[in-house]
Amino acid sequence: MNKNTSDDYKKWVKAKYEEAKTGEFSGFLLKPSPAELKNLCLVLVDKGINKLDREILDRFFDLNDKSSIQKQIEHFEVDKLKPISNFLKGKTETTRPINLDLIAVLVDFNPRPYAKFMAGNKEELTVDVAINEMTKKEERVEMEEVKKEIIFKELNKKSVSKKIAFAVIPLFVFGAAGFGVKNIFFRDKNCMVWVNNHYEAAEYDAVKDTAEVSPFNQGLLDNFKKITVCDTTTFFKNEDIDNPLVWYGKSPNKKEYEYFNQPGLHPETGKTLKPITKYIIGKYILKK
């Protein structure tokens, strides 16, 4: 039985990063600056983490019980994430196990942490990866079936002639072969642009010369919004100031504050958004 090694852990975590940087959190991982990595940690904590990942964050950020996880990560010295950034960018070839554990959380690599990985063996890892790939393949097939069903419903809803319907059916065959109905009917929306108070998916070539383009991120596309706040807005979860529900940052002209429903970067200035405080509420919101 071939035991896993530290080099194996480094190799597999880095490989998972290469896959994850084009996934749900591509907006944070495509250009993994220390600030982006810190913001992704905040997003994952906000979504909810399990006990094992909490222990990994505890070790890396040296967390305590004096304040919330979010608040401690927000005040964490961002330069301490630079070794991770350099490793992911390929500027360094190795990094400490504690750093690899944090990367494993960010890209959802399993088995993690380092100690659990080292207790396994290469054969088990290979089987786990194979199962993971099979699961992804099955999910892709299921998605294709859903797309077929949706389009057929639309065809029926609009009373499309049988002739057109039969012309559409063969396209699904090509889709199964790797072309995809989406790519035949629609342009590939592979990036995002900020429009008023939300992100919209766009085709890069169509907008690259007219708008500020961001890497495609389904999470931001679905959930990240600029919001209007007032005296009736709920700013904190359960009125706990360590659990903000609103984040803020200066507008592009720096004349006023703008407010958002999630942590991250201001979509127009690129500055890290700050969690709302009672001081900001009192001075800039209630006195309007």
Side-chain angles (χ1 to χ4, degrees), residues 34 76-83:
F76 188 77
E77 190 177 341
V78 73
D79 283 346
K80 290 184 178 180
L81 287 153
K82 198 166 186 178

Side-chain angles (χ1 to χ4, degrees), residues 9 19 21-22 32 38 58 82 89 101 104 141-142 184 187 224 227 230 242 250 255 267 272 275-276 281-282:
Y9 191 55
E19 174 191 325
K21 71 180 183 181
T22 57
K38 182 177 175 180
D58 280 352
K82 198 166 186 178
K89 291 176 180 177
D101 281 346
V141 171
E142 288 175 2
I184 296 171
R187 291 183 175 182
F224 187 82
I227 59 176
C230 63
D242 289 333
K250 284 189 176 180
K255 291 184 178 179
T272 300
I276 198 72
I281 296 169

Side-chain angles (χ1 to χ4, degrees), residues 193-205:
V193 293
W194 182 253
V195 180
N196 297 324
N197 63 355
H198 64 285
Y199 280 110
E200 290 186 3
E203 183 199 5
Y204 178 75
D205 289 337

